[in-house]
Amino acid sequence: MKFTDYYQVLGVERDATAAEIKTAYRKLARKYHPDVSQETGGEEKFKEIGEAYEVLKDTEKRAAYDQLGSQWQQGQDFRPPPDWDAGFEFSQDFQDQGPVYSDFFESIFGRGRHGFETGQSEFHGRGQDHHARVLIGLEDAYNGATREITLHAPEIDASGRVSTRERRLKVKIPKGVREGQHIRLTAQGMPGIGGGSSGDLYLEIGFQSHNLYRVEGRDVFLELPVTPWEAALGTKLALPTPAGQVSLNIPEGSQSGRKMRLKGRGIPGTHAGDMFVILRIVLPEAKTESDRALYRQMQTQFDFNPRAGMGV
Amino acid sequence: MIDKEIRVTEITSVIVDDRIELTLKEVCKACRVDQAAILELVEEGIIEPSTKYSEPRRFSAVMLPRIARALRLQRDLELNTAGVAFALDLLGEIESLRKRLKRLSPQEDFSDE
């Protein structure tokens, strides 16, 4: 087990006042809070900060922690001295909502003294699965998917000891789900205490980014490259969709940016979304002299000025 | 048969949408807080019951993530309810700006080529 320097985590001196500790915590918490922060690894960092604050804000726990001495270094191998905490009575159980603490924390302050409130939910609690979020592909939203997820939740055994239990669930995600929506798993939350019924578990759905499609709510957008002659003359071409290939008629005389709607081919559901195809005309590069000659031929053939309306 | 060994029970789920409505009691249970905590959020305008003028109050289940987020901010950042409301408004605005930015950036990437 590694020693955790709680003072270093909060960036305060060992003789910092309670007010300084509070300020340091609040500053860091605002920066790394998973609901606010875009920092990578923010959630881990936030757990560390929360744990450090949990100890240092409490005079009893801080005194006990200080008792370990200042010779310990962050990350050093640590084993608590025998009977080191004799004489310390933790008069107050934590009022917190059942966070999951590090092994280091538990080696000092023990397990089972945390005063977990009954019926803890995974939705909640500093340090727990803050965002129980499941990432799926866009195709999965069309077809439905099965995902295996791992949750960490505190559990209280018959003797009242608290431990963190890892739970693996295989979840069937219904088709038609949209980004940011939640799904409900009935009675998969933490079991109620004293024979109470289990709560429901809610999971947020996120989409993996897709290299072809952009999703907005129920609607799916695809930018489709076409040649100038396909756009000018019209054609029938193969179009990829998350549900598989379909054929699409490009009307003659199409311009770049033309938006075509494929009704009901967005994310399925009672109100199925639409798919929008946006044409983008791509010019072939003039690589050879004969290529250039062809473009020059077009120049003379078409008496065309797309800026005619600009007064220049 | 080997298949059976590694099998984890498959759990079905339902999409949470407007059609699922919860009573105040059910919201409290889902969020592990007492009624006062939820009513405080209602009072501040952070959440709105779907039945505004009739009793009993019911809440759309789509509100749950917002409620959970509000409660986390309240607890972890030691914010008061007005502060939570303000933070949620700003976070919402940032999210919509980020979405717009995301929509614009693929075109920028494209022009690099």
Side-chain angles (χ1 to χ4, degrees), chain A:
Chain A
M1 189 190 326
K2 304 281 182 224
F3 179 80
T4 307
D5 187 339
Y6 289 141
Y7 291 99
Q8 195 183 312
V9 169
L10 291 185
V12 294
E13 298 295 326
R14 290 189 76 88
D15 60 356
T17 62
E20 282 167 350
I21 286 166
K22 192 180 190 175
T23 308
Y25 165 74
R26 286 193 172 171
K27 256 185 164 164
L28 290 168
R30 282 198 301 271
K31 186 169 176 196
Y32 292 108
H33 196 281
D35 281 308
V36 178
S37 176
Q38 294 286 310
E39 310 255 350
T40 47
E43 184 155 356
E44 271 312 300
K45 184 94 183 147
F46 182 73
K47 282 182 197 172
E48 269 180 49
I49 298 161
E51 185 174 304
Y53 185 55
E54 204 60 58
V55 173
L56 299 185
K57 77 171 179 192
D58 182 308
T59 35
E60 285 172 3
K61 286 197 202 77
R62 188 179 174 186
Y65 177 76
D66 286 346
Q67 195 76 356
L68 293 169
S70 54
Q71 73 274 21
W72 292 101
Q73 300 286 311
Q74 170 76 27
Q76 199 179 341
D77 273 327
F78 174 79
R79 188 169 304 149
D83 297 330
W84 73 275
D85 63 345
F88 281 103
E89 269 297 314
F90 297 106
S91 57
Q92 267 245 302
D93 277 342
F94 297 177
Q95 291 303 306
D96 226 57
Q97 290 259 345
V100 175
Y101 293 107
S102 69
D103 291 345
F104 172 72
F105 181 98
E106 291 186 337
S107 79
I108 303 176
F109 300 106
R111 293 174 168 215
R113 297 195 210 176
H114 300 177
F116 284 105
E117 282 173 28
T118 51
Q120 209 30 248
S121 132
E122 270 125 330
F123 221 81
H124 240 131
R126 193 179 282 163
Q128 292 181 40
D129 297 288
H130 234 290
H131 292 282
R133 198 157 177 258
V134 190
L135 278 184
I136 61 169
L138 177 61
E139 286 84 356
D140 296 331
Y142 275 73
N143 306 315
T146 305
R147 281 282 175 286
E148 216 170 282
I149 57 162
T150 307
L151 295 168
H152 304 270
E155 195 179 46
I156 305 168
D157 66 19
S159 59
R161 284 172 63 87
V162 177
S163 58
T164 306
R165 188 169 58 119
E166 223 176 58
R167 271 202 310 160
R168 279 169 74 201
L169 297 177
K170 203 171 180 183
V171 182
K172 244 182 117 169
I173 297 161
K175 76 177 205 180
V177 75
R178 304 197 299 272
E179 169 132 62
Q181 270 189 327
H182 282 66
I183 54 171
R184 179 166 73 171
L185 283 69
T186 307
Q188 287 301 326
M190 287 295 294
I193 305 298
S197 63
S198 296
D200 297 334
L201 175 66
Y202 292 86
L203 296 173
E204 187 186 339
I205 297 293
F207 282 178
Q208 287 145 359
S209 69
H210 202 288
N211 58 350
L212 291 182
Y213 310 106
R214 178 166 62 78
V215 186
E216 263 177 53
R218 303 182 164 87
D219 299 330
V220 176
F221 293 78
L222 171 70
E223 196 179 62
L224 186 70
V226 291
T227 62
W229 46 94
E230 284 168 337
L233 307 174
T235 186
K236 192 173 187 175
L237 46 75
L239 176 79
T241 80
Q245 195 172 303
V246 298
S247 73
L248 177 72
N249 274 313
I250 306 292
E252 70 171 83
S254 290
Q255 291 287 358
S256 204
R258 179 171 200 157
K259 201 170 174 183
M260 301 165 77
R261 187 170 79 143
L262 282 76
K263 205 167 179 306
R265 288 202 182 267
I267 293 176
T270 346
H271 305 281
D274 298 331
M275 181 159 168
F276 291 92
V277 176
I278 297 136
L279 299 185
R280 185 165 55 84
I281 295 174
V282 183
L283 297 181
E285 204 185 328
K287 282 182 188 151
T288 64
E289 189 45 47
S290 68
D291 291 347
R292 281 189 284 275
L294 193 53
Y295 274 114
R296 274 194 289 270
Q297 197 191 326
M298 283 171 74
Q299 186 184 7
T300 46
Q301 171 73 32
F302 298 103
D303 182 19
F304 179 52
N305 177 12
R307 297 169 301 278
M310 290 181 165
V312 286

Side-chain angles (χ1 to χ4, degrees), chain B residues 19-113:
Chain B
R19 282 171 295 182
I20 300 179
E21 286 205 327
L22 306 173
T23 62
L24 180 58
K25 226 175 166 175
E26 286 169 322
V27 171
C28 291
K29 197 176 170 199
C31 299
R32 314 285 164 189
V33 289
D34 58 16
Q35 299 202 355
I38 299 299
L39 293 176
E40 214 181 301
L41 300 181
V42 174
E43 203 175 307
E44 196 64 47
I46 292 172
I47 47 166
E48 249 176 46
S50 41
T51 48
K52 243 179 163 174
Y53 304 105
S54 60
E55 293 288 331
R57 263 188 268 225
R58 297 182 80 82
F59 297 83
S60 163
V62 292
M63 289 278 176
L64 281 174
R66 187 174 168 83
I67 298 172
R69 199 176 192 192
L71 294 170
R72 284 193 299 261
L73 289 171
Q74 205 170 35
R75 186 193 59 227
D76 298 340
L77 302 184
E78 302 174 343
L79 295 179
N80 62 24
T81 317
V84 170
F86 190 56
L88 285 175
D89 284 352
L90 291 180
L91 286 171
E93 202 171 322
I94 292 171
E95 258 160 47
S96 70
L97 289 174
R98 281 215 179 97
K99 241 180 225 163
R100 267 173 69 183
L101 197 64
K102 208 166 136 191
R103 215 177 305 157
L104 293 173
S105 44
Q107 287 165 9
E108 280 168 34
D109 289 347
F110 179 76
S111 66
D112 283 348
E113 279 191 73

